[in-house]
Amino acid sequence: MQYVLYDDFKPGVVFGGKVIDITSLLGGATEHGQRATVEAMIRNAKDIASKAGALAEKSGGKPVEQVRLRQPVPDPRHLVCAARNYKDGREAPEANFFLKGTATIIGNGDTCIMPPVDVRVFHAEPELAVVIGKEAYNVSERDAMDYVFGYTCFLDVSARGVASGYYMHKSYATFGPIGPGIVTADEVPDPHKLRIRLWVGDALRQDFSTSGMANSIPKLIAVASSVHPLMPGDVLATGTHHTDLGPVVDGDKVTIEIEKVGRLSVNIRDDRKRKWPEDAKKE
Ligand code: MN
């Protein structure tokens, strides 16, 4: 099942190529904001899955290409990002994380705005993101996958070389495109065998497999949940392969596609119209 928010952030599922409005299955949660809506989608997922077919027959739904898909988790409590989590020629990293603010979050078709600050380069790191399904605190690696609700695509947009530390590198508004929907875990039997590709315009720039992660998803969940509880609807981005990272500049259309999970595109705007060499330093 794929869960989406669409148009004015209506909750839906994609069923036979159509988006079905599931507002009526969420017990009034939509009146309590986007976070409550997402939490209710997760909490009621079994019920929704069993009723989606009948609801589709009754309401018909809208073809998915005729709706505007929005960020499927607009307001998570935590957006936790793995730092340096691929075996990409550098020192094999221990599990390490930073938090990205929720003001970074935008959805499919939206625009990432490059801030007018001095940087070495802007990058958009393609990453598989895990959406947490139930509260996870101090969970073991062995149990960790029980806490996964589903998966989505994430771009960890980064401003290299501005000040120091993750906050200034990672937190600018619009620096966290996510979506297009959440594909439930049952549809992704092995999240460590997914192809991730990134295009800039029509040019393929990155093509790697999640099999290259240095720390597996269970390991990441175990370590992150040893720091603080991960809550339903929280997002854990699993890092990128740094080898083929390249600059993003004004006018670019950047597309990430993850096998079984989906495809997300955003536009890049930089009012300063800056350019960088292809090999601008990748850290
Ligand atoms: Mn990253």
Side-chain angles (χ1 to χ4, degrees), residues 21-45:
D21 186 339
I22 57 167
T23 303
S24 65
L25 302 180
L26 300 185
T30 51
E31 290 163 31
H32 301 284
Q34 293 169 347
R35 180 184 290 170
T37 300
V38 172
E39 287 172 350
M41 288 164 92
I42 292 171
R43 195 169 55 239
N44 299 345

Side-chain angles (χ1 to χ4, degrees), residues 27 59 85 125 131 153 156 182 203 223 231 257:
S59 74
N85 194 40
E125 303 176 349
V131 179
C153 304
D156 175 17
I182 305 168
V223 176
M231 303 301 288
E257 185 176 308

Side-chain angles (χ1 to χ4, degrees), residues 122-163:
F122 293 114
H123 285 147
E125 303 176 349
E127 306 193 3
L128 174 68
V130 172
V131 179
I132 297 294
K134 57 183 181 180
E135 183 174 339
Y137 194 29
N138 290 319
V139 305
S140 66
E141 265 183 76
R142 173 198 280 248
D143 295 337
M145 296 308 281
D146 296 344
Y147 295 81
V148 175
F149 176 67
Y151 301 93
T152 189
C153 304
F154 184 67
L155 290 171
D156 175 17
V157 182
S158 306
R160 308 287 183 204
V162 48

Side-chain angles (χ1 to χ4, degrees), residues 79 81-84 98-105 123-125 127 154-160 162 164-176 239-240 242 245 282-283:
L79 170 47
C81 298
R84 296 179 157 220
F98 55 91
L99 282 169
K100 207 156 163 135
T102 54
T104 60
I105 293 176
H123 285 147
E125 303 176 349
E127 306 193 3
F154 184 67
L155 290 171
D156 175 17
V157 182
S158 306
R160 308 287 183 204
V162 48
S164 69
Y166 284 112
Y167 181 80
M168 296 298 282
H169 290 176
K170 302 287 195 177
S171 306
Y172 286 96
T174 73
F175 268 29
T240 199
H242 278 239
L245 276 179
K282 295 184 172 111
E283 298 299 313

Side-chain angles (χ1 to χ4, degrees), residues 51-256:
K51 291 177 179 162
L55 201 58
E57 239 165 63
K58 200 170 110 196
S59 74
K62 273 188 181 177
V64 68
E65 56 280 359
Q66 286 176 25
V67 305
R68 179 178 176 193
L69 294 176
R70 313 301 294 257
Q71 50 271 45
V73 271
D75 187 24
R77 284 186 174 79
H78 306 106
L79 170 47
V80 182
C81 298
R84 296 179 157 220
N85 194 40
Y86 274 78
K87 299 175 219 160
D88 48 16
R90 302 172 303 168
E91 202 178 325
E94 294 279 308
N96 187 23
F97 303 93
F98 55 91
L99 282 169
K100 207 156 163 135
T102 54
T104 60
I105 293 176
I106 59 172
N108 188 53
D110 290 343
T111 298
C112 282
I113 298 170
M114 303 302 106
V117 293
D118 290 338
V119 297
R120 194 166 61 241
V121 65
F122 293 114
H123 285 147
E125 303 176 349
E127 306 193 3
L128 174 68
V130 172
V131 179
I132 297 294
K134 57 183 181 180
E135 183 174 339
Y137 194 29
N138 290 319
V139 305
S140 66
E141 265 183 76
R142 173 198 280 248
D143 295 337
M145 296 308 281
D146 296 344
Y147 295 81
V148 175
F149 176 67
Y151 301 93
T152 189
C153 304
F154 184 67
L155 290 171
D156 175 17
V157 182
S158 306
R160 308 287 183 204
V162 48
S164 69
Y166 284 112
Y167 181 80
M168 296 298 282
H169 290 176
K170 302 287 195 177
S171 306
Y172 286 96
T174 73
F175 268 29
I178 191 165
I182 305 168
V183 172
T184 47
D186 58 296
E187 296 194 5
V188 186
D190 189 350
H192 302 96
K193 276 193 190 148
L194 299 176
R195 186 180 187 187
I196 299 184
R197 284 179 289 177
L198 182 97
W199 291 263
V200 176
D202 296 329
L204 180 65
R205 176 175 285 173
Q206 280 174 270
D207 186 353
F208 61 96
S209 167
T210 55
S211 62
M213 279 186 205
N215 300 286
S216 68
I217 292 167
K219 174 84 178 176
L220 294 174
I221 291 171
V223 176
S225 77
S226 75
V227 181
H228 59 75
L230 300 173
M231 303 301 288
D234 276 357
V235 175
L236 174 64
T238 56
T240 199
H241 199 292
H242 278 239
T243 302
D244 296 318
L245 276 179
V248 292
V249 304
D250 187 65
D252 280 346
K253 180 182 179 191
V254 177
T255 301
I256 173 179

